[in-house]
Amino acid sequence: MTTRIRVAVPLASAIALLATPLAAQDAHEPMRAEDLVTMPRLGSPTVSPDGTLAVYSVTMTDSESFARSSQLYLRSLANTEAKPAEIDLEGSGATFGGDGWLYYLTSNADSDSTQVWRARIGADGSVTGASQVTDIARGVNGFHVSDAGDRIAIWTDIARSCTAIDCDDSAKAYAPGPGDGRLYNAEDGFFRHWDAWETPGTYSRVFAFPLENGVATGTGMAVDGPMGAGGPSGDTPGAPFGGGEDIAFAPDGSGIYFAAREAGAEEPHSVNFDIWWSDLSGSAPLNLTAANEALDLLPTPSPDGQFLAYVAMARPGYEADRQVVMLRDLKSGVTTALTGDFDRSFGSLAWTPDSRWLVATAQDVLDTPAFRIDPRSGAVEKLDLMAGNEAHLGNLTPLSSGGILFTRDSIGAPAELFLSKNWGMAEPLTQVAAPTIGQFAPVVVERFSFPGANGDTVWGQITKLEGHEGPIPAILYVHGGPQGSFNDGWSSRWNPRVVASQGYAVISVDFHGSTGYGQAFTDSINGDWGGKPLEDLKLGLAAALERDDQIDGSRACAMGASYGGYMMNWIAGNWPDRFDCLVQHDGLFDMRSFYYTTEELWFPKWDFGGSYAENPESYERWNPVNYVENWKTPMLVIAGEKDFRVPYTQGLASFTALQEQGVPAQLLVFPEENHWVLGAKNSLQWHNTVFAWLDRWLKPDE
C-alpha cells in the first residue's frame, strides 16, 4: 500500500504562500541546516475563559548570533479573518486565568529569580495593569491559576522537610568536610537523572496560595502535606519530562489533583506514578490510585466537577504499556476503564467545556490524530479534522463555542495553529513558519507497507526532494525508544526534510516495537532487540528500493540515536557489508556496562527480563560489543557529556573499538548537551558534521 503526498507547506496554506515574496517562491532552494535551526517555532496556545481569544508564543533564532527570543501574539478565534496582534510582554508560559487575566513567568527586575506576573490584554493586543503576582526567593518553575482566579499553585525545587515556601534549606551539604564531593546513600535512589546530579531530599513540589487582588499571599500550602504524614516524597511535575499536565485544580478551586512517584531506593526501578488529591487543608493528601502499582498520569477533572479522567498503565515496571483512559466518579469513587477495549495508547486528555466529551490524542499508523471519547459509554471516535493525513496533532483545546483549537505539524512543515468548528474540517489560524518553509524546494513523502518479520504488516516512509533528477543515495533512519515512531511529524533534531534536502532519500521504518500499531506490536521487541527489528529494517529497505527505482541502493548510509544508535552498533557487527557509512548518536555499545551506568533501571529490566545479574544471557545475546570483530563500516559517533540515560562513555567505547579495528571513524562530543542536542549552535554543528560525513561516503565526487 502506498500513499504519496507532495509536502511543501502545511495543508490549506495557500494563504501563506501569498504572503511570501515571489522572488523567494521562485528560488525554491533546498533547505539547509541553518534554515532548520533558525525556523520560527510556535509555542503552545492558551485560550481566554470565554473562548474568543488565543495567545501563543513564537520563538525566533537570530541567523548570526543564534540567540533565541520569544514574542507573544494575540489571535481572535471569533473573527478568523483578523490578523494576529503582537503583545508587548516579555515572558514565558503565558496562561489565561479563570479571571480573564493573562498570567506569565518573567524574571524579576530586582533579581534573577523567575516570578509569576499578570496583565490585562485588550482585543488589539494592548497591555494594561501588569503587576507581579509572586515574590518567592527561590523562584518559580511553573504555575496554575484556579478557574475562579482566587488561588494559584506554583511549583519549585525545595526540601521535602519544608512546610512553607520561605523555608531556609540552603544548607544542602552532601557530606561533612571542606571538599566539594557529593556523598550519596544507597537508600536515596536516583543519584543522577537525565542530565543533572540529584540533591538528596530536594524535589519539585507544589504549593498553593490565595490570590488577593492579584497577589499571592501567605507562605503557601504544600499539597504533599507534612513530611512523614503519608503524602508522597517525590517530584511533581515528574522528572525529567513532566509538566503542568501533572497538576490540576478542582473546578471549584477546593483542592488540587497531582501526580507523583515515590522517591527512594525503588524509584530507579519504578514507573508507579499515582494521582493524589489535596484539599489544601495542610493535612496529608489522599492517594486515589494506590490500588494500581503501574503508572497513573494526566489528572483531568470534568468542568462540572463530577468526574476525574486520567490515563493508566496496567503492568508495573513497563514504561511503554498502553495508556488507557480511566474515569473516576468523584462522588461514588467508582472507576471505569473507558478505553480498555481500544488498542491505542492515549497521550493527552481534555474535556469539552460542557463536560459532554473527552478529546484525546493517540499515535495511529504514522499519524497522531484526535479522538472523541464518550464518558458515558467509552465509545471512541477518530476525528477527521484535516484534509489528507492528520500527521501530528497536539495541544487540543476544546472551546465553549463547540470548536477545537489545536496545533498540527508534519514532515513537511513545522507546527501551525488550526481551528475546527463543530467537529469539522479545520482552518489554519497562523502563518508562523509557513512563509519561511514556502521558500524551500518541496519534498515528497510516500508511505508504504510491507510484510515484515513473522509476516506482520510494517509501515515506513520515504522522504525525498520533489523533482530531483537522477539517482538518489539512500539514508536509512532508525528511531529511538525503541518503543517509538518516526511518524509524520516535524522535529528540530532528527528531521527527514532537511536530510532529504541535501539530495538524499530518507527511508524510515516502524519496526516491531514501534508505537501506534497496537500494544502487541509494541511489546514484540521485548527480549528481541536485535531480532525482529533488524529483519524489519532489512525488509523495509528492500521494499523501499523496489518501490522507488530512483533510489540508489548501492549508495546507502544508516543513522540513528539512542536505540537507533544501538542499532547502528548492532548493524556494524551483524549487517556489516550493507552500508557505506553509519551515524551513531548516543548509542548503546555494551549492554552490561549500560545497565550499571544508566539511571532509569526499570527500562532495561523490562526489555531484557530482569537485571543484568538476573538474566545476563538476554543482555549478552543482543550485545553489540560481542560482534566488534565484524566491524568494518565507517562510523561517525556523537555523544553528549551530560547524557545520563546512555552515558557518553558508551560512545567513547565504540570509538575505541573502531580505532582498534582500523575502521574510518570520527567522534563528536558535546560537553553541555544531554541525550539530545538542543543548543542552536550545537545543533548547527551537529547537522553540518553529519552532512559532511554522509557526503564523504555517498558523494565522493562532489
Side-chain angles (χ1 to χ4, degrees), residues 34-56:
E34 291 87 340
D35 302 317
L36 175 66
V37 172
T38 59
M39 189 73 63
R41 301 182 184 184
L42 174 71
S44 301
T46 180
V47 177
S48 61
D50 62 5
T52 62
L53 299 172
V55 169
Y56 59 89

Side-chain angles (χ1 to χ4, degrees), residues 357-371:
W357 303 98
L358 277 162
V359 182
T361 56
Q363 288 184 341
D364 183 40
V365 187
L366 300 175
D367 290 320
T368 306
F371 295 84

